[in-house]
Amino acid sequence: MTDLFAPYELKALTLKNRVVMPPMCQYAVEKQDGIPTDWHFVHYVSRAVGGTGFIIVEMSGVHPDGRITNQDTGIWDDAQIPAYKQLTSAVHAHGAKIAIQLGHAGRKAVDASSPVAPSAIPFGAGYAMPKALSREEIAELITAYREAARRAVEAGFDTVELHGAHGYLIHQFHSPLSNVRSDEYGQDPILFGEQVVEAVREVLPAEMPLIMRVSAKEYVEGGYDEIYALEFCRRYKEAGVDMFHVSSGGEGPIGSNGGPGAGPAYQVKLAEYIRSGLQVPVIAVGRLESYEEAQAVISEAKAELVAVGRGMLSDPYWVLHAAEALGGIDSAAVPKPYERGIWKLK
């Protein structure tokens, strides 16, 4: 029986355990230049010290106006690479692997001077009317994703994750709630995401896996269900995605912020559905801060990896404490400076 602390391999990505710190925006770039700061360094490296196998840096804009807010990280300029290099090197020094989530907020970019979207439909009350992207602008954004991925490789990230969930730009294209175009990007709403995947795949090393976060279900009238999600995930897999990080919601409420039945492990069944339907590895996410719940997802073969968000915001040493609670920590997993702590060793 595989457990939470078993190693995992996907192409050239080798993880020491099955625990993922998912991307969670910190809104902490005070200079608004997209460059990660000391806050980000401490935030991510402390989770590596705490035993996390795989860390995914928060959604980082592929364009200045693609950030949710101007306080978010970005990777649209080569000048941003050195700070990320420092971060990846430190995370690697503590035995973890690290990815970066590439994204564009589209119509949900609240600080953008002129937000853009597939169609001129605002997200909701308090959001600006977005400009519908022209074909030329779509091509420029696809290039922006590719160039961001190139920078990520140069910065030492072990892989990248594309944000195709939670109502951001790729999701906006493949959702019937936000894409009413009459051109090829409306007739085939999966086309934009597919072309982004293909463009990013061009600059990744062949053995570097590509991950994509998707919302497998929308929680509003007229939204899509998991059957449609399986269809677009199949297209994205064929274009080059190796693993899906399965979430839900976003073109209405994100599931964890008001979706029906948003209790512990509420999205795991969606991850299982994508996994079994496509025979593809998945990351399960959603209220998995319980050690026992996270362990069960792996031991019952519902997903290859589990992402623990809120639990890791509360506890940088969640992985060590999980090992302690589930049978004891291997002494080699405890950093030497912390050996005098009160740990339940095997």
Side-chain angles (χ1 to χ4, degrees):
M1 182 177 68
T2 304
D3 70 16
L4 200 57
F5 309 101
Y8 177 72
E9 292 185 14
L10 179 63
K11 289 188 169 180
L13 179 67
T14 302
L15 307 178
K16 64 181 180 181
N17 59 46
R18 304 299 181 101
V19 185
V20 180
M21 181 183 182
M24 294 175 284
C25 288
Q26 298 297 292
Y27 307 108
V29 183
E30 294 181 0
K31 293 183 179 180
Q32 302 187 10
D33 56 7
I35 298 174
T37 66
D38 288 347
W39 173 269
H40 299 90
F41 187 88
V42 171
H43 174 63
Y44 293 113
V45 176
S46 62
R47 273 66 184 182
V49 171
T52 308
F54 189 33
I55 294 166
I56 307 178
V57 170
E58 63 207 79
M59 185 174 96
S60 300
V62 301
H63 185 279
D65 280 345
R67 294 171 289 173
I68 303 168
T69 77
N70 287 344
Q71 286 73 45
D72 290 315
T73 52
I75 190 164
W76 65 80
D77 191 292
D78 285 1
Q80 295 161 330
I81 294 174
Y84 287 116
K85 276 188 175 179
Q86 182 182 18
L87 175 59
T88 59
S89 295
V91 165
H92 288 152
H94 293 287
K97 298 298 174 68
I98 184 168
I100 186 170
Q101 187 184 71
L102 306 180
H104 191 295
R107 67 181 188 168
K108 295 177 81 172
V110 297
D111 286 342
S113 55
S114 179
V116 296
S119 303
I121 304 171
F123 177 65
Y127 285 82
M129 175 66 73
K131 174 188 180 296
L133 287 159
S134 67
R135 286 188 181 88
E136 292 75 16
E137 289 167 331
I138 289 172
E140 290 170 0
L141 284 177
I142 292 169
T143 298
Y145 274 98
R146 184 178 65 235
E147 286 298 289
R150 173 189 61 77
R151 295 183 188 102
V153 172
E154 186 174 336
F157 284 100
D158 298 292
T159 186
V160 300
E161 176 177 278
L162 294 174
H163 203 343
H166 300 168
Y168 300 120
L169 190 62
I170 294 175
H171 184 167
Q172 288 165 29
F173 267 92
H174 66 225
S175 173
L177 298 171
S178 45
N179 183 354
V180 295
R181 300 174 69 97
S182 59
D183 64 2
E184 65 269 34
Y185 290 100
Q187 295 166 11
D188 180 2
I190 305 170
L191 179 60
F192 175 73
E194 183 179 61
Q195 290 179 337
V196 169
V197 170
E198 291 170 344
V200 167
R201 191 74 263 178
E202 288 175 3
V203 296
L204 298 187
E207 286 305 304
M208 179 179 283
L210 175 59
I211 304 170
M212 190 172 198
R213 198 172 208 189
V214 294
S215 285
K217 186 177 183 178
E218 294 180 321
Y219 298 111
V220 288
E221 185 178 353
Y224 62 75
D225 60 12
E226 58 267 38
I227 297 172
Y228 176 63
L230 190 69
E231 177 188 341
F232 64 66
C233 285
R234 179 175 288 108
R235 290 272 299 277
Y236 295 150
K237 178 186 176 185
E238 291 169 355
V241 172
D242 298 291
M243 171 179 268
F244 290 98
H245 190 170
V246 184
S247 187
S248 62
E251 281 304 273
I254 295 174
S256 59
N257 294 337
Y266 74 103
Q267 293 176 146
V268 172
K269 62 182 182 296
L270 295 172
E272 285 186 276
Y273 180 79
I274 299 299
R275 182 179 187 265
S276 62
L278 297 180
Q279 297 299 297
V280 64
V282 298
I283 305 172
V285 64
R287 300 294 174 90
L288 289 170
E289 57 265 23
S290 160
Y291 308 139
E292 293 76 16
E293 291 276 7
Q295 172 79 312
V297 170
I298 300 301
S299 64
E300 296 173 14
K302 295 178 178 179
E304 280 65 32
L305 305 175
V306 293
V308 180
R310 287 169 174 79
M312 282 203 191
L313 288 181
S314 174
D315 180 7
Y317 311 104
W318 187 94
V319 175
L320 293 177
H321 289 140
E324 189 173 39
L326 295 171
I329 308 172
D330 184 335
S331 59
V334 178
K336 187 173 180 59
Y338 289 173
E339 286 178 350
R340 288 174 293 173
I342 304 173
W343 299 105
K344 180 182 176 183
L345 300 177
K346 289 181 180 178

